[in-house]
Amino acid sequence: MGNSELDVVVQAREILNNEKNKLTNSHPYLVEKQITHMQLKENEKGQLLIPVGDYEGNIFSVTKIDATGKEEIMRSNYLLTELGYIIGDIKDLDNKNKSIIVCKDFASGASLSKATNKTVLVGFDDQNSLWIAEGLRKRNPEIDIIIAIRNDHKSPVFITNYPEYSKETRYTEQANLYANMINARVIIPPLTDKEKAQGLNNFNDIALSRGDKGLRSCLKTLLSKDKTKIKKQSNEMTL
């Protein structure tokens, strides 16, 4: 590990262990996203602190979220692995009878965990969330891995494939390629035209738009054990 990576690790741990931090579930970001069932550390600057680490709980970085929702992650080359934040029981990662959800953003992860009672791994980055899923499959060959991505209907995101594909592809396409590679499945928020017009794109957005009951209903369909049905799901939905 180079000095820059070591510096990030040391700084992240110092930030998280600062005695002036306080536990909160009423931070403006948590209230806005309706995830006040989560309790996190908040620093003196009013930023939520989300630890970024490995499966054993070792901390390598930290993500800070201010009252406006702006995220700042302390980055190093080491973060280009399967590091993330675990919501739920870490023991579930080794239970072959469990379903584990992997997603990119914290708010969606919190909403997905609350609605399903499943353990969720948050990657904080489009590519990193896919590497997390890949690392999880290597750890547990039999577990049911669900990659929850956003519906990028308005602003498609393109990222470079790794390593089997040389060209850039739309994120939804890459997520499905990864899912096929590691025997996982992908779920996408099935948005209505009205929700799309409002700029909604992720599972936390669905929770805010339809309420907890609406999100649970949506996920009940998406998480059906009929995986063929899930792979063929459409990004469109009408009510």
Side-chain angles (χ1 to χ4, degrees):
M1 181 184 291
N3 289 333
S4 61
E5 287 83 4
L6 179 59
D7 288 344
V8 169
V9 172
V10 172
Q11 291 174 29
R13 293 177 182 178
E14 288 178 348
I15 290 170
L16 288 166
N17 292 326
N18 191 321
E19 293 181 354
K20 295 181 180 179
N21 295 336
K22 63 179 182 179
L23 287 174
T24 180
N25 64 352
S26 59
H27 186 274
Y29 176 79
L30 298 178
V31 173
E32 178 187 357
K33 299 297 184 180
Q34 296 180 19
I35 47 178
T36 53
H37 62 290
M38 299 287 295
Q39 192 173 56
L40 296 169
K41 288 184 177 180
E42 178 183 344
N43 65 17
E44 289 183 295
K45 297 180 180 179
Q47 297 170 308
L48 286 177
L49 304 175
I50 305 176
V52 181
D54 61 17
Y55 299 136
E56 280 65 50
N58 300 306
I59 302 302
F60 289 90
S61 184
V62 62
T63 293
K64 306 173 188 177
I65 305 179
D66 68 18
T68 68
K70 181 180 178 181
E71 292 188 14
E72 175 189 348
I73 185 169
M74 296 179 61
R75 291 185 177 276
S76 70
N77 292 335
Y78 197 77
L79 277 178
L80 299 179
T81 62
E82 61 262 20
L83 298 178
Y85 178 68
I86 300 174
I87 303 175
D89 190 349
I90 191 172
K91 294 179 182 178
D92 288 349
L93 305 184
D94 296 316
N95 189 331
K96 66 181 181 180
N97 297 315
K98 290 287 186 176
S99 294
I100 304 297
I101 299 176
V102 178
C103 70
K104 176 216 168 189
D105 68 286
F106 172 75
S108 285
S111 292
L112 288 164
S113 176
K114 181 181 180 182
T116 64
N117 290 319
K118 298 182 184 299
T119 294
V120 178
L121 274 63
V122 181
F124 300 103
D125 178 90
D126 288 321
Q127 183 69 76
N128 204 58
S129 62
L130 299 183
W131 281 333
I132 284 177
E134 185 178 355
L136 182 57
R137 173 56 71 220
K138 292 177 182 178
R139 180 187 178 100
N140 193 326
E142 298 182 72
I143 202 167
D144 178 27
I145 300 175
I146 302 157
I147 304 173
I149 66 174
R150 66 186 174 282
N151 189 325
D152 58 352
H153 58 92
K154 186 175 182 180
S155 301
V157 175
F158 295 83
I159 54 179
T160 303
N161 282 291
Y162 162 90
E164 283 75 12
Y165 308 92
S166 60
K167 65 179 182 178
E168 290 189 344
T169 59
R170 187 168 174 168
Y171 181 59
T172 50
E173 296 170 350
Q174 188 178 30
N176 278 295
L177 289 172
Y178 256 76
N180 288 330
M181 286 167 51
I182 66 173
N183 189 28
R185 45 182 170 146
V186 174
I187 58 173
I188 305 170
L191 303 173
T192 66
D193 289 339
K194 181 179 179 181
E195 288 170 333
K196 288 182 179 181
Q198 294 172 338
L200 309 190
N201 65 22
N202 61 46
F203 284 102
N204 176 256
D205 288 338
I206 287 185
L208 298 180
S209 174
R210 308 180 195 177
D212 289 343
K213 184 177 180 180
L215 177 60
R216 285 195 297 269
S217 177
C218 168
L219 289 168
K220 183 177 181 180
T221 300
L222 294 179
L223 297 179
S224 163
K225 291 186 178 181
D226 183 353
K227 295 185 180 181
T228 301
K229 176 181 177 182
I230 290 174
K231 287 183 179 180
K232 293 181 179 180
Q233 71 170 302
S234 169
N235 291 351
E236 309 297 328
M237 180 178 180
T238 57
L239 293 180

